[in-house]
Amino acid sequence: MSEAAERTRLMRGESGDWEIVIGVEVHAQVLSHAKLFSGASTLFGAEPNTQVSFVDAAMPGTLPVINRFCVEQAIRTGLGLKAQINRVSVFDRKNYFYPDLPAGYQISQYKHPLVGEGEVLLDLPGGRMVRVGIERLHLEQDAGKSLHDQHPDHSWVDLNRSGVALMEIVSKPDMRSSEEAAAFVKKLRSIVRYLGTCDGNMEEGSLRADVNVSVRRPGGLLGTRCEIKNVNSMRFIAQAIEYEARRQIGVIEAGGTIHQETRLFDARAGETRSMRSKEEAHDYRYFPDPDLLPLVIEQSWIDAIAASLPELPDDKKARLIAEHGISAYDAGVLVTERELADYYEELARGVDSKSAVNWLNNEILGRLNRAGQSIGECPVSARTNNDILKLIAEGTISGKIAKDLLDVVWSEGGDPRTIVAERGLTQVTDTTAIEQAIERVIAANPEKTEEVKRKPRLAGWFVGQVMKESGGKANPQVVNALLKQRLGLPADG
Amino acid sequence: MTLPASALEFTLADARDALRAKAISATELTAAFTKAIADARPLNAFITETPERAVEMAAQSDRRIATGDARALEGIPLAIKDLFCTKDVRTTAGSRILENFVPPYESTVTQNLWNAGAVLLGKTNMDEFAMGSSNENCWFEPVTSPWRPRNSNRTVVPGGSSGGSAAAVAANLCIGATGTDTGGSIRQPAALSGIVGMKPTYGRVSRWGIVAFASSLDQAGPMARTVRDAAILLRAMAGFDPKDSTSVERDVPDYEQGLEVGVAGVRIGVPREYRLEGMSAEIDTLWSNGVAWMRDQGAEIVDISLPHAKFALPAYYIVAPAEASSNLARYDGVRYGRRAENVSDITELYERSRAEGFGAEVRRRVLIGTYVLSAGYYDAYYVRAQKIRTLIARDFAQAFERCDAVLTPATPGPAFAIGEKTADPIAMYLNDVFTVTANLAGLPAISVPVGLSTEGLPLGLQVIAKAFDEAGVLRVGRAIERAAAFDAKPSAWWRLS
């Protein structure tokens, strides 16, 4: 890495440069219809306490039974993170009292997680690549939800979420800036969405991040870290890290020391606040859950899951660069969402890749962004857009007409070729019609005609006038060529 | 049909045959037992009596018998330990914290029994959350044994924790009963009450719907008048249950088959470490008699060693409380069970609900369990106890290379007086010294009554075999039963009418 790039990752304090060291823990809700240890539904947004089995409510004598599909999803995710799948893993009980934790313990994996070390590659602006190690991934239950604002002196508990399967994915402390941390969560989100193992919805809480931050002198010994809980958007992740690193540098430079603690990010104030110190930390009294046998996974099952993995963002990006000849930057943007990459590939079929990328970025995404919609909500299919691009390539319509045509199918639907035919949008390449239009423009503008002979740059104005005269249907290249010929200008490109 | 006066003393096998032969009706038999239960309230063997349900179930059994659709336990009146959740019937686990808990679901074991045609007479008293060896740790007051020392009015304990079930079987208040055994809670009260009690292999019987005490040790089993009855009941209770991840997918044999085969050629192991220092002469004699009976019936007696058996009780009193401390965390006053009134915050709700809801022994074990799992103590206690458990299992594995079954006393002594040991928990815990090893190693074991103490109180011998060799345990148990010919009965002093 260049010195300049290195410097941008450092934070300047009063006493010199500081390096920020960041590790991230992500809780990703497993995409599954049923909970981790009970058959209850995981539907989001249902009436409170309607998605609760006797097991989820920890009724006496009820027992957990592992949901095979959730295990498969976790293995799939592990494979997507190029991680070691542990053939034997163990479920432990994490004991603590809280009203939204019915059993008084959470079933989690402590010493022997299902998934071991893996890695995630980050593409950063400027073509910089960062490799972030994955420490582990394990399965655990989610808790219910306590509602403290429904009654003046009572708290309410909704157990719909109780027992829903989560994957806790822990990174190594390999990130050095808020940008990298946000890119990590974004990439992780992209991977789980490609795999179909988590919907990645941060607003609904399907993907939640805790961030560990410490600071040190560049290359020095690791500082004491603070854990920031529940930072629930990419923007907040960046904000929380910036704030926390500044705070820690301030404390140290003022002669203080950082104490290991858990902090909460207050999005409204844009700051982190102490939640509990290390001394106040719970003693969770982990021990293996005697209701569950160790989870033993057959290699053949892992192999079958591996064989069914979709093409993941990194591979897709490499292929798009190689096969489509598009830039690494464009490919990187396209592969962040599987739907977007799929859309692009359909759009680009049989047409020039660069035109397809531009059309997607400028026309389709532009319209979607203005409407606040995602690619999945696009009213015009990739196939229809592909037809439009083909009409341009064939010379049937101009780029300008194409945009109008897109507006039509965007709001009214329909087949582009039919619309072009029905509404007479076909581009005019008939030189006679164009020559007549040129004559009309010249006749109407004698002074300009004299002027353009001295100032050839004015030719563009004439092209515009002729296009207007033809109702936009004239082929601009033909107009340009004929105009120059008629006005006696040099035939440049 | 008229019910013979002896019907209350029927073995399960007798009752089954009489019902099938239509010599008696399930309705009559059930009515006789519900009356006997009502007459025996001084024993306090039941927490909840269910006479109406019993009548309904018996009537249904009579219809099935009439149409020739009788199932394995058709019309057999049973008592169920109050640790088994029974749908729409109060299930307390002997605790104030579940005093008014009515489960909307049925335990797998009881469902299996009803599916086999059995009739529910009621829910039996027990030590709170199955923690105890005397049935004195009870929110619903202690159970009194039907047995009394010879020529004495002194009351004694029935043993525990399945003491209500043991007393009910011994006092002829039911044909048979269910119990649960975590460290000896079926076998010890069976021995002290002069009945047969069996703990199957861990995983043989589903734990689903049984209020958990120590999940890795808990196992339900039958309590009955004879080994044959235990065999019949066990077959109906056992089987793989997809709702219990620790239950084992394995066929359940017909345990009645081969029960009378005998022990000729069977190698009976006698563990030298079970000869405890200060063990009473009568227990020693009893054990020697048992060995002699086996030898007389053609068994080969093998001297074996279980060197880690002496660590079993301390290991048990780490593992069981550790699991209990976690299993009992759900009784927090939030969703069901007792909730303290007039609390100011959630911490007070927890503290007071649990302090009011749990008795002293439960609180003691929750504290011990919390302590041994704490950071800094986990390795020293819990991890070491688990290692001991492994060593004990290995001891048995090695012993079973040389023998087919192990014969030991069931308890270190006969029933003791109510209140005699309550002040000294360690003395109380020692009651399980011979039984806990089978729980720690997950092995099947049976307690068979063989004689009376000098005071005239019952004593039992225990047989332990390899995992899933319940058939072997029952066969040896039957041979002991036959040789001992134990036929003593308590006098029905409690009967009001």
Side-chain angles (χ1 to χ4, degrees), chain A residues 54 57-65 93 95 97-99 102-105 111 159 283 285-288 290-293, chain B residues 85 101 104-105 207-210 215 242-246 326-327 329-331 335-336 346 350 370 373-375 378 382:
Chain A
F54 294 138
M59 299 296 278
T62 59
L63 296 170
V65 177
R93 291 185 183 179
N95 296 281
F97 282 95
Y98 205 68
Y105 56 84
K111 282 192 180 155
L159 295 181
D283 179 354
R285 291 171 283 123
Y286 281 101
F287 76 107
D291 287 332
L292 294 159
L293 301 173
Chain B
C85 287
F101 178 67
Y105 49 91
R207 293 185 297 113
W208 202 90
I210 302 172
S215 312
K243 291 194 286 187
D244 175 1
S245 307
T246 63
S326 177
N327 282 335
R330 66 189 57 201
Y331 307 106
R335 298 168 312 287
Y336 52 77
I346 186 66
Y350 288 150
T370 304
L373 289 176
S374 299
Y378 179 78
Y382 188 79

